Amino acid sequence: MIKMSLVAAVAVAGLTTTSSAANLEDAVKNTKMTGYVRYRLETNHEAADSDVNEKAKAVYKFTTPVNDTVTSNVKIVAGESSTANGDTKASMAVTEANFVVKAGAATVIAGLQTSQSPFFANNGDTRSHGVTALIPAGAMTIAAAHYTTTVPSAVGITEDISALGAIGKFGAANVEAWYATVNNTDVTAMAVLASAKAGPVTIAAHTAEVDNGTSADISNTQLAVSGKAGNISYTAAYATTGTASGDVTVDGDTDSKLIFAGEILSTKTKDLDAMVLSIGAKVSDAVKVGLLHITGETGSTDVDETKLSVGYKMSKNFGASAWYSTGAVGSTDHAKSRIEVKYTF
């Protein structure tokens, strides 16, 4: 219906000839639309009356081949959430408007795009204007990017950012090494990510740090072992963060792949040393359950978190999930929960 409406609207408005209308129709037919519609109900049980926050989000991405070499991408993100005083906050933004150019074995992305590298969130909402180049070099791929980011920086600045990465596969090992600079400042960031499969388990090691020109220790290191046995999946990990912070993302978003999946405790927690244990089980084709436990300390303060989760998949592209997490930082108790319904297309 959306595709038909686009063609009909242009034709009825008299803005095209029969020939150009046909060209537009061909273009719309070749356009692939993907995305999701999601609703979340989040509760902070620490509040006196259990603070409830409703969040609705819709993401639409349109991918259209321009010719054999160029593809265009447009991504629209719209959302609405309730605020602490009971009001609602609505937003809508174009987070991608770019061209992907295939030049031999190399790929270049130019325009408004999702920022690459571990220093940005992986939820695809970070808006950056710039250029990304992916160039194969033997067993490795070189990634080079230069962005002007439009989100507040976790290190207190919003500037042009340049990143260089090397991504490769060597036998059973996957390795990424990244370096980034924030122009006109003293801020630099580096990260190394490696993983390898050893029999039935996968071993992964991540380390990253940000140097903001001061003595502040902003770092994040994780070592994890994961595997699967029948319908049971498991992960055991160790995580440690810097004395100032463990958030090494430029945009300050904990969805980064350098962040473990805690809800109360995360690597935004400074001076953290923690063990992370998680178990997931596939109860049926439609139902999955999970248990996550984090225990450790921040400085001399004991911390812990336990998270229970369940997911139900009604169909391939529609399902619901819920989790409840409880924990403590020293003598202060915390509890949060979420219910989510999501449709993908």
Side-chain angles (χ1 to χ4, degrees):
M1 291 178 64
I2 293 174
K3 293 179 179 180
M4 291 176 64
S5 297
L6 284 172
V7 177
V10 175
V12 170
L15 299 178
T16 65
T17 64
T18 304
S19 175
S20 60
N23 292 337
L24 177 60
E25 185 175 6
D26 289 339
V28 172
K29 284 180 179 178
N30 290 329
T31 297
K32 180 181 179 182
M33 184 174 71
T34 58
Y36 63 85
V37 177
R38 185 183 70 196
Y39 173 78
R40 285 178 173 176
L41 185 66
E42 299 179 342
T43 304
N44 183 351
H45 299 277
E46 302 162 37
D49 298 319
S50 291
D51 183 23
V52 177
N53 186 16
E54 295 182 81
K55 294 183 178 180
K57 184 176 182 180
V59 176
Y60 299 91
K61 183 172 182 178
F62 303 89
T63 302
T64 306
V66 178
N67 52 43
D68 292 339
T69 303
V70 180
T71 300
S72 73
N73 291 312
V74 176
K75 184 177 178 182
I76 301 171
V77 179
E80 183 177 277
S81 61
S82 56
T83 61
N85 61 5
D87 295 333
T88 58
K89 180 181 178 181
S91 63
M92 179 178 290
V94 177
T95 60
E96 288 189 27
N98 60 67
F99 293 100
V100 180
V101 182
K102 296 284 187 180
T107 300
V108 177
I109 308 170
L112 180 62
Q113 59 190 280
T114 298
S115 309
Q116 305 299 314
S117 90
F119 310 117
F120 292 92
N122 63 5
N123 62 5
D125 290 349
T126 300
R127 301 170 62 202
S128 290
H129 298 266
V131 178
T132 301
L134 301 172
I135 305 169
M140 303 186 69
T141 297
I142 304 300
H146 181 76
Y147 303 124
T148 299
T149 183
T150 59
V151 298
S153 170
V155 288
I157 48 174
T158 302
E159 287 281 357
D160 292 344
I161 296 167
S162 299
L164 181 66
I167 307 166
K169 183 175 177 63
F170 305 93
N174 296 289
V175 180
E176 296 183 38
W178 291 88
Y179 179 78
T181 63
V182 181
N183 294 348
N184 304 320
T185 72
D186 295 327
V187 178
T188 60
M190 60 76 61
V192 177
L193 301 82
S195 65
K197 194 169 180 62
V201 302
T202 298
I203 302 172
H206 298 173
T207 184
E209 65 179 30
V210 172
D211 182 354
N212 64 0
T214 71
S215 59
D217 179 12
I218 305 173
S219 60
N220 177 336
T221 299
Q222 298 176 44
L223 178 64
V225 177
S226 60
K228 189 175 182 180
N231 290 333
I232 306 295
S233 58
Y234 58 87
T235 299
Y238 170 74
T240 180
T241 66
T243 54
S245 175
D247 186 1
V248 294
T249 59
V250 174
D251 51 358
D253 195 312
T254 56
D255 286 334
S256 167
K257 60 183 175 181
L258 286 168
I259 308 296
F260 58 84
E263 304 299 339
I264 296 168
L265 299 172
S266 74
T267 48
K268 282 191 172 183
T269 308
K270 65 181 182 180
D271 200 16
L272 176 69
D273 282 291
M275 291 297 301
V276 185
L277 302 173
S278 69
I279 299 175
K282 188 175 181 180
V283 179
S284 66
D285 290 339
V287 179
K288 292 182 179 180
V289 296
L291 171 65
L292 171 75
H293 183 67
I294 304 171
T295 183
E297 58 184 15
T298 59
S300 58
T301 302
D302 292 336
V303 296
D304 68 82
E305 177 180 357
T306 300
K307 175 183 176 182
L308 300 172
S309 60
V310 60
Y312 171 68
K313 205 166 189 178
M314 180 178 290
S315 60
K316 182 179 180 181
N317 59 352
F318 181 75
S321 62
W323 56 256
Y324 176 80
S325 196
T326 181
V329 178
S331 59
T332 304
D333 294 331
H334 301 270
K336 296 180 179 180
S337 62
R338 173 192 291 169
I339 299 173
E340 175 180 301
V341 179
K342 186 175 182 180
Y343 163 66
T344 59
F345 51 88

